[in-house]
CSV table of all heavy atoms in Angstrom, one decimal:
chain,number,residue,atom,x,y,z
A,82,GLY,N,-240.4,131.1,-26.4
A,82,GLY,CA,-240.0,131.8,-27.6
A,82,GLY,C,-240.7,131.3,-28.8
A,82,GLY,O,-241.4,130.3,-28.7
A,83,THR,N,-240.6,132.1,-30.0
A,83,THR,CA,-241.1,131.6,-31.1
A,83,THR,C,-240.1,130.6,-31.7
A,83,THR,O,-239.0,130.6,-31.4
A,83,THR,CB,-241.3,132.7,-32.1
A,83,THR,OG1,-240.1,133.4,-32.4
A,83,THR,CG2,-242.3,133.8,-31.4
A,84,PHE,N,-240.7,129.9,-32.6
A,84,PHE,CA,-239.8,128.7,-33.3
A,84,PHE,C,-238.7,129.3,-34.1
A,84,PHE,O,-237.7,128.7,-34.2
A,84,PHE,CB,-240.7,127.9,-34.2
A,84,PHE,CG,-241.8,127.1,-33.5
A,84,PHE,CD1,-243.1,127.1,-33.9
A,84,PHE,CD2,-241.5,126.3,-32.4
A,84,PHE,CE1,-244.0,126.4,-33.3
A,84,PHE,CE2,-242.5,125.7,-31.7
A,84,PHE,CZ,-243.8,125.7,-32.1
A,85,GLN,N,-238.9,130.5,-34.7
A,85,GLN,CA,-237.8,131.2,-35.4
A,85,GLN,C,-237.1,132.3,-34.7
A,85,GLN,O,-236.5,133.1,-35.4
A,85,GLN,CB,-238.4,131.6,-36.8
A,85,GLN,CG,-238.5,130.5,-37.8
A,85,GLN,CD,-239.9,129.6,-37.6
A,85,GLN,OE1,-240.9,130.3,-37.1
A,85,GLN,NE2,-239.8,128.4,-37.7
A,86,GLY,N,-237.4,132.4,-33.6
A,86,GLY,CA,-236.9,133.6,-32.7
A,86,GLY,C,-235.4,133.5,-32.2
A,86,GLY,O,-235.0,134.4,-31.5
A,87,GLY,N,-234.7,132.4,-32.5
A,87,GLY,CA,-233.2,132.4,-32.2
A,87,GLY,C,-233.0,131.7,-30.9
A,87,GLY,O,-231.8,131.7,-30.4
A,88,ASN,N,-234.0,131.2,-30.1
A,88,ASN,CA,-233.9,130.6,-28.9
A,88,ASN,C,-233.6,129.0,-29.1
A,88,ASN,O,-234.3,128.3,-29.4
A,88,ASN,CB,-235.2,130.7,-28.1
A,88,ASN,CG,-235.0,130.2,-26.7
A,88,ASN,OD1,-234.3,129.3,-26.4
A,88,ASN,ND2,-235.8,130.8,-25.7
A,89,GLU,N,-232.2,128.8,-28.8
A,89,GLU,CA,-231.8,127.4,-29.1
A,89,GLU,C,-232.4,126.2,-28.3
A,89,GLU,O,-232.6,125.2,-28.8
A,89,GLU,CB,-230.2,127.3,-28.8
A,89,GLU,CG,-229.7,127.5,-27.5
A,89,GLU,CD,-229.3,129.0,-27.2
A,89,GLU,OE1,-230.0,129.9,-27.9
A,89,GLU,OE2,-228.4,129.3,-26.4
A,90,ARG,N,-232.9,126.7,-27.1
A,90,ARG,CA,-233.5,125.7,-26.3
A,90,ARG,C,-235.0,125.3,-27.0
A,90,ARG,O,-235.2,124.2,-27.0
A,90,ARG,CB,-234.0,126.2,-24.9
A,90,ARG,CG,-232.6,126.7,-24.2
A,90,ARG,CD,-231.6,125.5,-23.8
A,90,ARG,NE,-232.1,124.7,-22.8
A,90,ARG,CZ,-231.8,124.9,-21.5
A,90,ARG,NH1,-231.2,126.1,-21.2
A,90,ARG,NH2,-232.2,124.0,-20.6
A,91,ILE,N,-235.7,126.3,-27.5
A,91,ILE,CA,-236.8,126.0,-28.3
A,91,ILE,C,-236.5,125.2,-29.6
A,91,ILE,O,-237.2,124.2,-29.8
A,91,ILE,CB,-237.6,127.4,-28.7
A,91,ILE,CG1,-238.0,128.1,-27.5
A,91,ILE,CG2,-238.8,127.1,-29.6
A,91,ILE,CD1,-238.9,127.6,-26.5
A,92,GLN,N,-235.6,125.5,-30.2
A,92,GLN,CA,-235.2,124.9,-31.5
A,92,GLN,C,-234.7,123.4,-31.3
A,92,GLN,O,-235.0,122.5,-32.0
A,92,GLN,CB,-234.0,125.6,-32.2
A,92,GLN,CG,-234.4,127.0,-32.7
A,92,GLN,CD,-233.2,127.9,-33.2
A,92,GLN,OE1,-232.1,127.6,-32.9
A,92,GLN,NE2,-233.7,128.9,-33.7
A,93,ASN,N,-234.0,123.1,-30.0
A,93,ASN,CA,-233.6,121.8,-29.8
A,93,ASN,C,-234.8,120.9,-29.3
A,93,ASN,O,-234.7,119.6,-29.5
A,93,ASN,CB,-232.5,121.8,-28.7
A,93,ASN,CG,-231.3,122.4,-29.2
A,93,ASN,OD1,-231.0,122.4,-30.3
A,93,ASN,ND2,-230.5,123.0,-28.2
A,94,VAL,N,-235.8,121.5,-28.6
A,94,VAL,CA,-236.9,120.6,-28.1
A,94,VAL,C,-238.0,120.4,-29.2
A,94,VAL,O,-238.5,119.2,-29.2
A,94,VAL,CB,-237.5,121.5,-26.9
A,94,VAL,CG1,-238.9,120.7,-26.5
A,94,VAL,CG2,-236.6,121.5,-25.8
A,95,PHE,N,-238.3,121.2,-30.0
A,95,PHE,CA,-239.5,121.0,-30.9
A,95,PHE,C,-238.9,120.6,-32.4
A,95,PHE,O,-238.1,121.2,-32.9
A,95,PHE,CB,-240.3,122.3,-31.0
A,95,PHE,CG,-240.9,122.6,-29.7
A,95,PHE,CD1,-240.6,123.9,-29.0
A,95,PHE,CD2,-241.9,121.8,-29.1
A,95,PHE,CE1,-241.1,124.2,-27.8
A,95,PHE,CE2,-242.5,122.2,-28.0
A,95,PHE,CZ,-242.2,123.3,-27.3
A,96,ASP,N,-239.5,119.4,-32.9
A,96,ASP,CA,-239.2,118.9,-34.2
A,96,ASP,C,-240.1,119.6,-35.2
A,96,ASP,O,-241.0,120.3,-34.8
A,96,ASP,CB,-239.3,117.4,-34.2
A,96,ASP,CG,-240.6,116.9,-33.7
A,96,ASP,OD1,-241.6,117.5,-33.9
A,96,ASP,OD2,-240.6,115.8,-33.2
A,97,GLU,N,-239.8,119.4,-36.4
A,97,GLU,CA,-240.5,120.0,-37.5
A,97,GLU,C,-241.9,119.6,-37.5
A,97,GLU,O,-242.8,120.4,-37.9
A,97,GLU,CB,-239.8,119.7,-38.9
A,97,GLU,CG,-238.6,120.4,-39.1
A,97,GLU,CD,-238.9,122.0,-39.2
A,97,GLU,OE1,-239.9,122.4,-39.8
A,97,GLU,OE2,-238.0,122.7,-38.6
A,98,GLN,N,-242.2,118.3,-37.3
A,98,GLN,CA,-243.6,117.9,-37.3
A,98,GLN,C,-244.5,118.6,-36.2
A,98,GLN,O,-245.6,119.0,-36.4
A,98,GLN,CB,-243.8,116.5,-36.9
A,98,GLN,CG,-245.1,115.8,-36.9
A,98,GLN,CD,-245.1,114.3,-36.6
A,98,GLN,OE1,-244.2,113.7,-36.5
A,98,GLN,NE2,-246.2,113.8,-36.6
A,99,THR,N,-243.9,118.9,-35.0
A,99,THR,CA,-244.6,119.6,-34.0
A,99,THR,C,-244.8,121.2,-34.4
A,99,THR,O,-245.9,121.7,-34.4
A,99,THR,CB,-243.8,119.7,-32.7
A,99,THR,OG1,-243.6,118.3,-32.3
A,99,THR,CG2,-244.5,120.6,-31.6
A,100,ILE,N,-243.8,121.7,-35.0
A,100,ILE,CA,-243.9,123.1,-35.5
A,100,ILE,C,-245.0,123.3,-36.6
A,100,ILE,O,-245.8,124.2,-36.4
A,100,ILE,CB,-242.5,123.5,-36.0
A,100,ILE,CG1,-241.5,123.6,-34.9
A,100,ILE,CG2,-242.6,124.9,-36.8
A,100,ILE,CD1,-240.1,123.9,-35.3
A,101,ARG,N,-245.1,122.3,-37.4
A,101,ARG,CA,-246.1,122.4,-38.4
A,101,ARG,C,-247.5,122.2,-37.9
A,101,ARG,O,-248.4,122.7,-38.4
A,101,ARG,CB,-245.9,121.3,-39.5
A,101,ARG,CG,-244.7,121.5,-40.5
A,101,ARG,CD,-244.8,120.7,-41.7
A,101,ARG,NE,-244.6,119.2,-41.3
A,101,ARG,CZ,-243.5,118.6,-41.1
A,101,ARG,NH1,-242.4,119.2,-41.4
A,101,ARG,NH2,-243.5,117.3,-40.8
A,102,ALA,N,-247.6,121.5,-36.7
A,102,ALA,CA,-249.0,121.3,-36.2
A,102,ALA,C,-249.4,122.6,-35.4
A,102,ALA,O,-250.6,122.6,-35.0
A,102,ALA,CB,-248.8,120.1,-35.1
A,103,VAL,N,-248.5,123.5,-35.1
A,103,VAL,CA,-248.9,124.6,-34.3
A,103,VAL,C,-249.5,125.8,-35.4
A,103,VAL,O,-248.8,126.2,-36.2
A,103,VAL,CB,-247.8,125.2,-33.5
A,103,VAL,CG1,-248.2,126.4,-32.8
A,103,VAL,CG2,-247.2,124.1,-32.5
A,104,GLY,N,-250.8,126.2,-35.0
A,104,GLY,CA,-251.4,127.2,-35.9
A,104,GLY,C,-250.9,128.6,-35.5
A,104,GLY,O,-250.1,128.8,-34.7
A,105,PRO,N,-251.5,129.7,-36.1
A,105,PRO,CA,-251.0,131.0,-36.0
A,105,PRO,C,-251.2,131.6,-34.5
A,105,PRO,O,-250.4,132.3,-34.1
A,105,PRO,CB,-251.9,131.8,-36.8
A,105,PRO,CG,-252.4,130.9,-37.9
A,105,PRO,CD,-252.5,129.5,-37.2
A,106,GLU,N,-252.1,131.0,-33.7
A,106,GLU,CA,-252.3,131.4,-32.4
A,106,GLU,C,-252.1,130.3,-31.4
A,106,GLU,O,-252.2,130.5,-30.2
A,106,GLU,CB,-253.8,131.9,-32.1
A,106,GLU,CG,-254.1,133.2,-32.9
A,106,GLU,CD,-255.5,133.6,-32.5
A,106,GLU,OE1,-256.5,133.0,-33.0
A,106,GLU,OE2,-255.7,134.7,-31.8
A,107,GLY,N,-251.7,129.2,-31.9
A,107,GLY,CA,-251.5,127.9,-31.0
A,107,GLY,C,-250.1,127.9,-30.4
A,107,GLY,O,-249.2,128.9,-30.6
A,108,TYR,N,-249.8,126.9,-29.7
A,108,TYR,CA,-248.5,126.8,-29.1
A,108,TYR,C,-248.2,125.3,-28.7
A,108,TYR,O,-249.1,124.4,-28.8
A,108,TYR,CB,-248.5,127.5,-27.6
A,108,TYR,CG,-249.6,127.2,-26.7
A,108,TYR,CD1,-249.5,126.2,-25.8
A,108,TYR,CD2,-250.8,128.0,-26.7
A,108,TYR,CE1,-250.7,125.8,-25.0
A,108,TYR,CE2,-252.0,127.6,-25.9
A,108,TYR,CZ,-251.8,126.5,-25.1
A,108,TYR,OH,-252.8,126.2,-24.2
A,109,ALA,N,-247.0,125.0,-28.4
A,109,ALA,CA,-246.6,123.7,-28.0
A,109,ALA,C,-245.9,123.7,-26.7
A,109,ALA,O,-245.1,124.7,-26.5
A,109,ALA,CB,-245.7,123.0,-29.0
Side-chain angles (χ1 to χ4, degrees):
T83 61
F84 296 130
Q85 284 75 43
N88 187 324
E89 62 268 34
R90 305 297 282 276
I91 300 295
Q92 293 167 347
N93 290 339
V94 169
F95 297 112
D96 55 31
E97 284 300 318
Q98 182 179 359
T99 300
I100 292 171
R101 286 195 298 271
V103 176
E106 293 182 292
Y108 55 85

